[in-house]
């Protein structure tokens, strides 16, 4: 029997012959959704372009009010949105509830920011001239979003785009289109014009991506996903010099100094590494732990990991769910196997893990060294590799020795060292004595091969606006 949370979807979003959405906890079909092919996408982009002009002509307050109405509907339907998300992504219901709150917070934030897209009057270089800037919407945008946060990765692109006066077409991940479609249907119920924000599961992801990169009406693409695909988008979009925001892969270091508060460091490690079963771009990917605290840290972390309840995300006790699919399980198992062959050892007792479904046991690996594959690969699974270091410069060198630069974490009680690390870590985001850095009020984004552009905060709105400089002469 169909799940009651599916009432959030509209009949026109479903199609019995369409894309099958599977529950990773048991492989069952949750729903079958409509897919769009290239000619349909072209029409949708043209409609989005036509819709953006009257939308941008509304006052900022009017746009803000409609976004606020969308936020209210997200909050009213939070429980069903969370259930839908657990069904398609596997994450425990409590985490899904957290993501609905997190995702809705971007809509609330940008409904407020819509009214603060200020231009400037700049003191002039000449007495008969005035210099000013206007901020104007970029135009019609496209977004390509991942399966690991099927709701929040959409609201943090769509809400600033709409607040700025843009239109936006979103291609969600094939594994998790249901949260995206529910967002779309609630947005339309809230009064966001239908053509202004569309969610389009694609018949062919690569063809949809190519179309976004080459369609003359698309002025900006925002992508969250792998560095590999981000580079392809960057190359293809270069043909029309499209504006881009790329939130790509990471290899986050999590540094623990001898003077760290051990309880805090372990709690931060659990939150950072095992949230969403480790399938997060900002997850701690390498634990770099000073020799004096190493054994105590590993022992405490191992005990917490052994106590995880790995179950179907809908089970009330679940603290970790399945991975997204069987392919992900095999990839993670392969990384662990290689690490053990290269000399690492598993340091924790394994919790009981369901025999069927896309589950992988959570693992703490010790004796990991910088030359091992696991120290360089983005794991995207519940595995915590622990490396040992001796002094601060050693820690910084290991942490920065990667082409990625998304998030980094450091645990130390020494205030001067906190500053040195904040300044020395070559990352877009640094968490000090905390493993959870994500919030709508802060600029989320990376440097180096982790991408560019910022989501959340006032910078998130600026990413959907052009600055136009105007000179008023003859005064
Ligand atoms: C991501 O994994 O890409 C985003 C995680 C977050 O927003 O915390």
């Amino acid at each position: 029997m169909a799940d009651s949370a599916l009432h959030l979807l509209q009949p026109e979003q479903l199609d019995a012959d369409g894309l099958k959405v599977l529950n990773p906890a048991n492989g069952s079909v949750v729903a079958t959704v409509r897919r769009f092919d290239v000619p349909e996408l072209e029409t949708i982009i043209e409609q989005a372009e036509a819709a953006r002009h009257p939308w941008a002509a509304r006052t900022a307050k009017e746009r803000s009010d409609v976004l606020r109405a969308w936020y209210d509907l997200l909050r009213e339907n939070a429980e069903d949105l969370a259930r839908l998300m657990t069904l398609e992504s596997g994450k425990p219901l409590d985490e899904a509830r957290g993501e609905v709150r997190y995702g809705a917070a971007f809509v609330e934030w940008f409904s407020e920011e819509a009214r603060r897209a200020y231009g400037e009057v700049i003191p002039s270089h000449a007495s008969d001239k005035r210099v000013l800037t206007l901020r104007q919407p970029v135009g019609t945008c496209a977004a390509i979003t991942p399966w690991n946060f099927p709701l929040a990765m959409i609201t943090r692109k769509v809400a600033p785009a709409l607040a700025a006066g843009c239109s936006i077409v979103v291609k969600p991940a094939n594994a998790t289109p249901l949260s995206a479609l529910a967002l779309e249907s609630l947005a339309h119920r809230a009064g966001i014009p239908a053509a202004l924000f569309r969610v389009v599961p694609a018949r062919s992801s690569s063809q949809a991506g190519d179309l976004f990169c080459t369609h003359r009406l698309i002025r900006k693409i925002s992508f969250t996903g792998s560095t590999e695909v981000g580079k392809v988008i960057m190359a293809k979009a270069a043909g029309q010099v499209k504006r881009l925001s790329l939130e790509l892969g990471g290899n986050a270091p999590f540094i623990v100094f001898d003077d760290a508060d051990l309880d805090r460091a372990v709690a931060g490690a659990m939150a950072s590494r095992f949230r969403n079963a480790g399938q997060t771009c900002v997850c701690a990917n390498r634990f770099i732990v000073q020799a004096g605290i190493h054994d105590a840290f590993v022992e405490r972390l191992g005990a917490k990991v052994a106590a995880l309840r790995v179950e179907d995300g809908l089970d009330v006790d679940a603290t970790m769910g399945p991975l997204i699919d069987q392919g992900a399980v095999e990839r993670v198992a392969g990384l662990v196997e290689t690490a053990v062959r290269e000399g690492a050892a598993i340091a924790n007792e394994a919790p009981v893990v369901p025999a069927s479904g896309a589950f992988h046991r959570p693992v703490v690996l010790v004796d990991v060294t910088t030359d091992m594959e696991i120290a360089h690969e983005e794991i995207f699974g519940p595995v915590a590799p622990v490396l040992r270091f001796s002094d601060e410069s050693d820690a910084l060198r290991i942490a920065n020795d990667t082409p990625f630069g998304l998030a980094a974490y450091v645990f130390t009680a020494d205030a001067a060292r906190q500053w040195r690390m904040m300044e020395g870590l070559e990352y877009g985001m640094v968490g000090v004595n905390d493993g959870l850095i994500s919030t709508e009020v802060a600029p989320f984004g990376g440097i180096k091969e982790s991408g560019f552009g910022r989501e959340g905060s006032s910078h998130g709105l600026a990413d959907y606006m052009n600055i136009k400089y105007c000179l008023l002469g003859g005064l």
Side-chain angles (χ1 to χ4, degrees), residues 23-26 86 89-92 276-277 279 310-313 320-325 329 356-360:
N23 180 342
N26 55 30
T86 293
S89 74
K91 68 178 64 179
N276 202 16
Q279 303 170 109
V310 185
E311 287 163 23
D312 181 330
M320 195 183 109
L323 302 192
I324 191 66
D325 57 26
V329 174
S356 64
F359 292 92
H360 190 286

Side-chain angles (χ1 to χ4, degrees), residues 253 255 396 399-400 408-410 420-427 430:
I255 306 168
L396 203 55
N400 285 340
Y409 306 88
V410 56
R420 287 195 298 276
M421 296 304 283
M422 282 192 288
E423 289 170 0
L425 284 163
E426 294 167 355
Y427 289 82
V430 179

Side-chain angles (χ1 to χ4, degrees), residues 102 148-149 153 156 224 247 275 280-282 438 444:
Y102 176 47
N148 61 341
F149 288 87
M153 296 306 101
R156 75 185 190 184
T224 298
E247 200 259 273
R275 175 167 77 119
T280 305
C281 299
V282 290
S438 305
F444 187 107

